[in-house]
């Protein structure tokens, strides 16, 4: 049960992260509410003792937001990255450098900028290479998936299934261009997507902003970026549903998010957090990598530069 209404949450979470003084008008504009409704919410929050007359969030206000705070980010990073060869012959895909920095660092630093301090990486292929990240980010926890070659990425999710409460769970090979892809506070579980009229990629079919199923190819849907946030309630349900799917031979070959998004979708309330294609870059093939970073260009002689 949410202690804050949605409107209260929107206003309070905005004020908790505001970097400058605000008026009723600036708050209304930022949270997308009419001025009259915003004024009413501000009055309620003041009465509750969550903000002061000057719209500063009090200690009680921060405590009210605590149930909605993202605590950790979990990276599923065990895959072979075969479509990115030869770049991944000697290094796992999340550690391939783009403009001089490993891909995964863009997401780690975006999460840290939102105060998300717990970082878990499930590794498999060339797993020892991830040790280098401990020097850059001492708070990282490295977890080994020893069966990554025998299953789909559900086996990586199984390694960390009891950590999903208040957690972002994502693929480790997404280049994050906008740190606002992560949010310090989330009112509900959600998945990240871009609205599209038509796509042949994996996408989310939704009703009134709530995810109903994943499909490969669709119309009037959301292109899926595999970034999910799980709140306390939904994160508590995931271990059992993942275990149930993983217990079958066919389930072991599924993507992990097929469990909450398709098989057991009725167990969850997953909203769509809309972003743009400019916010995140997916690098699926070596050709795409070479277009983003000229250091990977191939010469006419077929030699990687």
């Amino acid at each position: 049960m949410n202690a804050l209404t949605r409107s209260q949450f929107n206003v309070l979470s905005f004020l908790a992260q505001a970097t400058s003084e605000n008026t009723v008008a600036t708050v209304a504009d930022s949270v997308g509410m009419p001025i009259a409704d915003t004024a009413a919410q501000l009055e309620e929050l003041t009465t509750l003792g969550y903000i002061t007359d000057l719209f500063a969030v009090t200690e009680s206000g921060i405590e009210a937001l605590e149930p909605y705070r993202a605590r950790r980010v979990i990276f599923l990073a065990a895959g072979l990255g075969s479509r990115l060869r030869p770049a991944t012959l000697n290094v796992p895909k999340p550690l391939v450098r783009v403009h001089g920095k490993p891909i995964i660092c863009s997401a780690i630093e975006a999460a840290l900028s939102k105060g998300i301090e717990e970082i878990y990486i499930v590794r498999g292929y060339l797993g020892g290479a991830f040790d280098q990240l401990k020097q850059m980010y001492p708070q990282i926890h490295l977890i080994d998936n020893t069966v990554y070659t025998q299953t789909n990425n559900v086996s990586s999710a199984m390694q960390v299934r009891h950590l999903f409460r208040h957690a972002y769970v994502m693929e480790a090979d997404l280049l994050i261009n906008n740190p606002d892809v992560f949010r310090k506070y989330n009112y509900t579980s959600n998945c990240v997507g871009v609205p599209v009229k038509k796509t042949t990629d994996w996408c989310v079919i939704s009703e009134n902003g709530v995810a109903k199923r994943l499909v490969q190819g669709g119309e009037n849907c959301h292109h899926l970026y595999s970034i999910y946030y799980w709140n306390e309630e939904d994160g508590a349900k995931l271990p059992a549903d993942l275990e149930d799917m993983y217990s079958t031979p066919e389930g072991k070959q599924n993507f992990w998010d097929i469990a909450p998004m398709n098989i057991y979708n009725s167990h969850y309330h997953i909203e769509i957090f809309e972003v743009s294609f400019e916010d995140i870059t997916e690098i699926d093939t070596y050709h795409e990598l070479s277009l983003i970073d000229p250091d990977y260009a191939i010469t006419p002689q077929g030699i990687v530069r």
Side-chain angles (χ1 to χ4, degrees):
M1 179 76 64
N2 286 304
L4 295 172
T5 67
R6 189 63 172 263
S7 295
Q8 288 173 338
F9 168 82
N10 289 343
V11 173
L12 188 59
S13 61
F14 165 72
L15 291 175
Q17 300 171 87
T19 57
S20 60
E21 293 184 1
N22 281 283
T23 65
V24 175
T26 59
V27 175
D29 183 62
S30 297
V31 301
M33 288 170 52
I35 289 180
D37 292 344
T38 303
Q41 296 304 320
L42 289 167
E43 184 176 350
E44 285 183 14
L45 292 170
T46 303
T47 301
L48 290 167
Y50 293 163
I51 63 174
T52 68
D53 292 339
L54 298 176
F55 303 158
V57 178
T58 65
E59 185 175 333
S60 294
I62 295 299
E63 290 177 1
L65 284 170
E66 184 63 16
Y68 310 95
R69 181 173 64 86
R71 314 283 173 79
R72 59 192 62 89
V73 58
I74 299 168
F75 293 98
L76 306 182
L80 295 170
S82 55
R83 289 198 293 167
L84 219 63
R85 291 180 179 173
T88 53
L89 287 174
N90 299 303
V91 64
K93 185 178 178 182
L95 296 181
V96 169
R97 291 180 176 270
V98 175
H99 301 303
K101 182 175 286 190
I103 292 172
I104 194 173
C105 290
S106 66
I108 292 174
E109 291 172 6
L112 290 174
S113 75
K114 302 300 181 180
I116 306 171
E117 296 289 340
E118 291 183 44
I119 301 168
Y120 297 84
I121 299 175
V122 184
R123 60 184 179 175
Y125 173 65
L126 299 175
F130 286 96
D131 289 342
Q132 64 181 277
L133 293 177
K134 292 282 287 182
Q135 300 176 12
M136 303 167 64
Y137 314 102
Q139 64 270 66
I140 283 178
H141 302 272
L142 298 173
I143 299 169
D144 294 313
N145 176 0
T146 60
V147 296
Y148 70 94
T149 60
Q150 303 165 37
T151 71
N152 210 318
N153 69 0
V154 63
S155 63
S156 289
M158 285 289 291
Q159 303 300 315
V160 288
R161 62 192 183 279
H162 296 297
L163 295 170
F164 277 24
R165 301 181 190 189
H166 304 286
Y168 276 100
V169 183
M170 65 177 289
E171 296 296 328
D173 56 3
L174 297 172
L175 190 64
I176 305 300
N177 305 315
N178 181 359
D180 289 340
V181 164
F182 294 98
R183 295 184 289 189
K184 184 173 183 176
Y185 301 108
N186 291 269
Y187 196 70
T188 66
S189 298
N190 56 75
C191 62
V192 172
V194 180
V196 292
K197 292 184 178 179
K198 188 175 183 178
T199 182
T200 58
D201 290 328
W202 282 97
C203 62
V204 184
I205 304 300
S206 63
E207 294 179 11
N208 300 316
V210 178
K212 294 302 178 183
R213 66 186 184 279
L214 287 180
V215 296
Q216 190 164 18
E219 297 182 0
N220 299 315
C221 53
H222 284 81
H223 171 93
L224 177 71
Y225 284 117
S226 191
I227 303 175
Y228 293 85
Y229 177 78
W230 300 103
N231 65 10
E232 171 76 23
E233 181 181 358
D234 289 339
K237 299 173 186 176
L238 269 165
D241 287 342
L242 285 170
E243 289 165 9
D244 192 55
M245 184 176 78
Y246 194 71
S247 67
T248 66
E250 60 272 19
K252 288 180 173 62
Q253 302 308 318
N254 271 339
F255 293 109
W256 76 273
D257 46 357
I258 291 296
M261 293 289 276
N262 287 15
I263 300 175
Y264 311 102
N265 181 267
S266 62
H267 297 181
Y268 304 91
H269 179 85
I270 308 166
E271 297 187 359
I272 298 177
F273 174 38
E274 290 189 351
V275 300
S276 73
F277 284 118
E278 288 72 33
D279 292 329
I280 304 170
T281 302
E282 287 182 288
I283 307 174
D284 290 327
T285 66
Y286 190 90
H287 175 67
E288 292 173 353
L289 177 63
S290 68
L291 294 177
I292 293 168
D293 189 337
D295 283 348
Y296 293 96
I298 300 178
T299 69
Q301 292 75 32
I303 300 171
V304 178
R305 189 168 63 190

